[in-house]
Amino acid sequence: MNQAIRFRRRRRSAAIRDLVRETQLTTDDLILPIFVQEGISEPVTIESMPGVVRYPEDQLAQAVQNAWQLGIKAVLLFGVSENKDDTGSDTWREDGLLARMIRTAKAAAPDMLVISDNCFCEYTSHGHCGVVCDHDVDNDKTLKNLQKQVVNCARAGVDMIAPSGMMDGMIAAIRDALDSSGYSHIPVMSYSTKFASAFYGPFRDAVDSTFKGSRNTYQMDPANGREALAESLEDEAQGADLLMVKPGTAYLDVIADIRANSALPLAVYHVSGEYAMIKAAASAGVIDEQAIVLETMLAFKRAGADLIITYYATDLAHWLTPSQAD
Ligand SMILES: [Zn+2]
């Protein structure tokens, strides 16, 4: 042993451990996803995701205000539509669910960063993320509709657009539509590297999806690391303001790789299955939930993520600011 090097000198007290800690996690890092369902009057619990609910529309304002009071500064809105059709046209209607959610959230907490999840799967009768032609999603027809959708969101007052459909060319199409409509100031956080993952299972529950097919023709193969980097770099080239990796836990290498190759802020989506597994293990009494969640979130940041989208945002806000815990 080299006697001069003793790592344990820097671990002798909490004070020195705090001083040399490389990675910090704060409430500023968190984005809370919120689900709103049309046609319900009480919150609906999501069986596979204890603690997460689908809110009726008239409780969205309160949910956003509660998050703001906890110190959460960004929410990501998902709608569960009753007005589905072949194309998801409700998403580009001024009085559609997406636009209404944005207006309600902004009115409830004007300083909250309101982000829209921009896709079609919760608004199409078939559940695919766009226009289906010959049993597959037609990329370019979907982009045309996405352009209408994002301009509708901008008109409703959204602060950031987050396209999740993994269509080729989606960032350029969105940027073009926003810029030519007077919204060049609205940033785009791309779901730039989104895998076709089994970890999304409970989300289908959350959005009440009747979807039975596969998204393998647009979401990425979990086996592909080089392509994962290429997808994000392509979105950066098209003008994305923030990049994302989804899911997180099984893809830390991808986070690190994108971090090493891009200067853009990078988000990670800690998805429904990752949440549900921790909840299930905690309720079985086999893990310390808080410790596991904090360790997972720190790992995302250590790997290179700047922001974390997580259903644990509310719990984390409590855990990270003890003065507000009770
Ligand atoms: Zn989708």
Side-chain angles (χ1 to χ4, degrees):
M1 183 174 75
N2 179 347
Q3 293 295 333
I5 296 174
R6 289 185 178 270
F7 291 102
R8 294 181 57 193
R9 286 187 199 115
R10 292 188 300 256
R11 298 174 195 157
R12 284 172 52 79
S13 69
I16 192 167
R17 289 195 297 272
D18 287 352
L19 206 58
V20 301
R21 182 164 297 132
E22 298 174 29
T23 309
Q24 309 290 337
L25 176 69
T26 79
T27 311
D28 289 351
D29 304 325
L30 305 174
I31 299 172
L32 173 69
I34 295 182
F35 299 102
V36 174
Q37 182 170 8
E38 283 181 322
I40 58 171
S41 54
E42 294 295 327
V44 175
T45 53
I46 300 163
E47 213 65 53
S48 51
M49 299 172 70
V52 180
V53 301
R54 296 196 291 264
Y55 289 103
E57 209 172 335
D58 62 3
Q59 291 187 22
L60 172 61
Q62 190 63 55
V64 172
Q65 283 167 1
N66 290 349
W68 181 254
Q69 274 155 20
L70 282 170
I72 294 169
K73 294 174 184 164
V75 291
L76 176 58
L77 301 178
F78 292 90
V80 181
S81 176
E82 290 270 279
N83 294 295
K84 302 186 187 210
D85 61 18
D86 274 2
T87 55
S89 64
D90 192 61
T91 60
W92 62 81
R93 268 198 279 274
E94 196 185 340
D95 62 347
L97 177 59
L98 191 49
R100 296 199 308 273
M101 289 191 298
I102 292 164
R103 286 194 293 268
T104 300
K106 282 311 290 180
D111 294 326
M112 178 72 88
L113 191 84
V114 173
I115 310 168
S116 51
D117 176 82
N118 291 100
C119 198
F120 296 95
C121 41
E122 294 139 47
Y123 300 87
T124 51
S125 41
H126 44 71
H128 270 291
C129 299
V131 181
V132 174
C133 295
D134 299 328
H135 309 291
D136 196 9
V137 172
D138 185 299
N139 197 88
D140 298 3
K141 285 193 175 113
T142 300
L143 291 186
K144 291 254 181 308
N145 291 343
L146 188 58
Q147 289 181 311
K148 291 187 275 185
Q149 182 188 120
V150 298
V151 170
N152 188 39
C153 290
R155 284 199 186 108
V158 83
D159 294 306
M160 188 151 76
I161 296 287
S164 58
M166 288 293 283
M167 293 300 122
D168 286 326
M170 69 179 182
I171 302 304
I174 287 170
R175 202 62 271 163
D176 195 39
L178 290 175
D179 293 357
S180 62
S181 306
Y183 298 106
S184 57
H185 58 285
I186 305 254
V188 177
M189 173 170 69
S190 181
Y191 286 65
S192 51
T193 296
K194 179 177 179 180
F195 291 93
S197 170
F199 285 96
Y200 305 149
F203 179 89
R204 310 268 153 86
D205 242 12
V207 298
D208 211 10
S209 176
T210 51
F211 183 68
K212 292 281 190 298
S214 131
R215 296 195 169 94
N216 292 346
T217 67
Y218 39 104
Q219 296 178 355
M220 273 202 56
D221 184 339
N224 294 358
R226 296 191 302 271
E227 187 186 2
L229 176 61
E231 277 276 10
S232 274
L233 294 183
E234 172 58 24
D235 282 9
E236 174 169 6
Q238 288 179 27
D241 300 282
L242 296 88
L243 302 175
M244 192 196 300
V245 173
K246 180 182 181 182
T249 316
Y251 298 92
L252 294 178
D253 58 322
V254 174
I255 295 171
D257 201 15
I258 295 171
R259 171 76 300 137
N261 287 283
S262 171
L264 289 185
L266 178 59
V268 58
Y269 201 137
H270 183 242
V271 306
S272 58
E274 300 174 275
Y275 175 89
M277 289 195 310
I278 298 175
K279 281 284 175 194
S283 79
V286 296
I287 57 162
D288 175 340
E289 181 181 20
Q290 180 175 336
I292 291 275
V293 173
L294 288 169
E295 189 174 327
T296 303
M297 301 297 146
L298 267 182
F300 291 154
K301 293 206 68 185
R302 192 198 62 234
D306 303 293
L307 313 170
I308 304 167
I309 303 162
T310 177
Y311 306 102
Y312 269 113
T314 308
D315 287 322
L316 282 162
H318 283 294
W319 298 335
L320 295 169
T321 40
S323 60
Q324 295 180 8
D326 295 297

